[in-house]
Amino acid sequence: GAGVSQSPSNKVTEKGKDVELRCDPISGHTALYWYRQSLGQGLEFLIYFQGNSAPDKSGLPSDRFSAERTGGSVSTLTIQRTQQEDSAVYLCASSVGGDTQYFGPGTRLTVL
Amino acid sequence: GESVGLHLPTLSVQEGDNSIINCAYSNSASDYFIWYKQESGKGPQFIIDIRSNMDKRQGQRVTVLLNKTVKHLSLQIAATQPGDSAVYFCAEKPNNTDKLIFGTGTRLQVFP
């Protein structure tokens, strides 16, 4: 079956612009997660959604970052007024419940 | 704070040999551990997981060992193949959350 998909695969933007990154989770997965991976580093948790519960936003680095999950499926991560330090690969994962997380291919964001 | 770390940033092995990748974790409240493989330009791929009530779990050519006494996790790959070349991440999940805490990764290089 289809895995987690993300779009765009690459995004280049200018400092100060807003960007939106999209994640389509595996069908039927109730939990959705966003992580950030800087070059040569491990994954840094950003936010996760579990069913209809309030999202855990504890990993968002600043109020410029926000995420939505509409209809319990697709999620959008928005970064406002992008900064150069936001450059990274943004990875989305989904799971049934809270165990094994399956990752998408990521969106590589470059802020010039 | 919480952290998951790896002892060896790069591991080089000869094709056919066994590989062992190690990981230390710091949160004694973690009850679920997982290994991911990440190839260049791709998202992390699930390899194997283990719960804290187990100390060993085997998959196809891979074995995960968990030593809760010293908070140590290892991934053993039997008969390492060129296709195993990638960065390997361990991750832990504290029992009061669904988010994963990742280490910085170990690069496995397989040479003929």
Side-chain angles (χ1 to χ4, degrees), chain B residues 46-85:
Chain B
F46 169 81
I47 301 174
I48 192 168
D49 58 2
I50 188 168
R51 297 194 179 279
S52 59
N53 61 352
M54 303 173 67
D55 54 20
K56 180 179 180 179
R57 190 165 187 222
Q58 289 185 292
Q60 186 177 14
R61 283 201 306 119
V62 294
T63 301
V64 55
L65 299 177
L66 175 63
N67 185 330
K68 294 181 288 295
T69 302
V70 295
K71 297 179 192 171
H72 185 266
L73 192 68
S74 69
L75 176 70
Q76 300 178 359
I77 304 173
T80 313
Q81 302 171 359
D84 295 327
S85 295

Side-chain angles (χ1 to χ4, degrees), chain A residues 6-79:
Chain A
Q6 293 186 244
S7 61
S9 55
N10 282 282
K11 176 70 176 179
V12 179
T13 190
E14 294 179 346
K15 178 181 174 181
K17 295 288 181 68
D18 297 351
V19 295
E20 286 189 350
L21 312 180
R22 177 187 168 106
C23 172
D24 284 87
I26 294 172
S27 178
H29 280 197
T30 57
L32 186 148
Y33 311 79
W34 284 99
Y35 294 85
R36 178 169 69 175
Q37 186 175 30
S38 300
L39 185 64
Q41 299 295 312
L43 280 69
E44 172 192 5
F45 166 79
L46 297 177
I47 185 172
Y48 87 88
F49 301 85
Q50 174 60 275
N52 295 321
S53 302
D56 180 341
K57 305 179 181 180
S58 60
L60 295 179
S62 77
D63 59 7
R64 296 187 294 104
F65 288 72
S66 63
E68 291 184 339
R69 188 179 186 192
T70 55
S73 181
V74 172
S75 177
T76 302
L77 177 69
T78 300
I79 309 174

